[in-house]
Amino acid sequence: MTRLRLGRDGRLPPSVTMGTVDVAFHLAAHGRVLPVVFAFEFDGRAPTLDSVRERVAERVHGIPSLHYRIARDRLRYLRVDRIAVDRHVHEARLPDDTDGSATSRLMLSRPMGADEGPHWDVWLVHGPAGRHTLCYRTDHAFQDGMGAAYTARALLGDDPDGGPAPLPRRRPTVLGLAGSLGDVVGAFGAATAKPAFDGVCTGRVDVSHTDVPLARLRAVGALYGATVTDVFLAALSHAVRTWHLKETGAAHPPLPVAIPMSVRAPGEEHVPGNRMITARMLLPCDEESPQGALARVVAATGRMRTARRRDAMRLLLAATPRSVGARVGVRLVHGRLVAGPVSSVNFGTALEHQGLTARRAAVLTSVASGIRSVITLTSQHDTACLSVVHDEALRTADELPDLWLAALLELERR
């Protein structure tokens, strides 16, 4: 298991400076906790709370990211040497939660521990008979989705390995740098029209999910020369178009969203902090057919990969003073410019815990900074889970998962 560079006393450093993206999340949430949740749903007899605590106690000392807390007034992570496992591992019962949405709402709304301790917890949630969910939860000012994936597997899995390999860093292209600079400049421009996602925010969220075999997404991708992420984004574009047309009778313009991308390099799997950037993308919600939307998405993501936009924004952030970069980061993912983050997270092989294999995994985070939705496709082994977290002001946004499935079916028919 990869560790942070040890100090002279052979221990983890007593403190670690928060990075630019960490401070951006701290500012966007106004210093409050913005939860990131990795939820694993199981069929079969649930483990006991004591056995989950035993697993956590066995693993926690080998995972550096679990040994730090946020010192918000200093914008640093401070090492915590003693971890009381019983204060970090909890239990809840939701016997009527047939689709996982109540568990998701609980994880996004339940207060997290105070600043005196490390910013993470684990929940064993008992659902309907024969179902349970294990959740790893942290603060987005402390850890991004891929960081949470590595930590959750190392902390809870029977096999702490098996996740996707971090991407090696590459030299950005001139086009990539120009595109990233364009995103930064655009963050200071006029507000962008996105009628389906504009309006007042309540700050209260609802959650809906749907599952689909990963093989379906791969098969559609093979038909059109697209990736799983491309298929996800194109089907989402058409779902938003159909949803808005149904609500208003009007077509929706291209929808600006923030696409999070991991820049967690090999050797950084278990270090605290966010290792991610975002790129702005227009989802072609104005396209009449999902096939046309997919063609435009494939072209857009292809340009981003060729230009190495991931590496370009990483380099720009590294070269920018932290205070400046953090404020730019807040503007890049703000409700005046984007509908919200739209991300695709690959967990890799399915999580196994005490001999049971999770049937699905879902990454969740809440809304902040004026955005009204966070939409994520989480893949593990052979299942993908679409999760839509939305402000309650979007009354009918729970229709989006079914509309997304309908768009996927149209793509399969070609």
Side-chain angles (χ1 to χ4, degrees), residues 172-252:
T173 67
V174 173
L175 284 177
L177 289 170
S180 295
L181 281 171
D183 281 354
V184 170
V185 172
F188 294 87
T192 310
K194 43 195 179 316
F197 295 89
D198 284 333
V200 177
C201 295
T202 69
R204 301 182 303 273
V205 298
D206 202 353
V207 188
S208 53
H209 302 281
T210 193
D211 299 336
V212 64
L214 194 52
R216 286 185 63 188
L217 298 175
R218 288 173 174 157
V220 171
L223 278 176
Y224 296 91
T227 67
V228 166
T229 298
D230 292 336
V231 175
F232 155 54
L233 294 175
L236 179 60
S237 299
H238 197 69
V240 170
R241 172 187 171 82
T242 305
W243 174 55
H244 185 66
L245 198 61
K246 178 182 174 183
E247 287 287 304
T248 67
H252 198 284

Side-chain angles (χ1 to χ4, degrees), residues 108 196-197 206-210 229 232-237 239-240 243 255-260 283 285 333 339-345 362-367 371-378 385-391 394 397-401 404:
L108 293 177
F197 295 89
D206 202 353
V207 188
S208 53
H209 302 281
T210 193
T229 298
F232 155 54
L233 294 175
L236 179 60
S237 299
V240 170
W243 174 55
L255 182 69
V257 296
I259 306 292
L283 296 185
C285 301
V333 190
V342 174
S343 61
S344 178
V345 177
V363 180
L364 307 162
T365 190
S366 197
V367 299
I371 63 173
R372 303 180 80 194
S373 71
V374 180
I375 300 174
T376 308
L377 184 77
T378 311
C385 176
L386 178 75
S387 303
V388 178
V389 179
H390 64 89
D391 192 282
L394 302 179
D398 58 354
E399 297 176 6
L400 284 172
W404 182 81

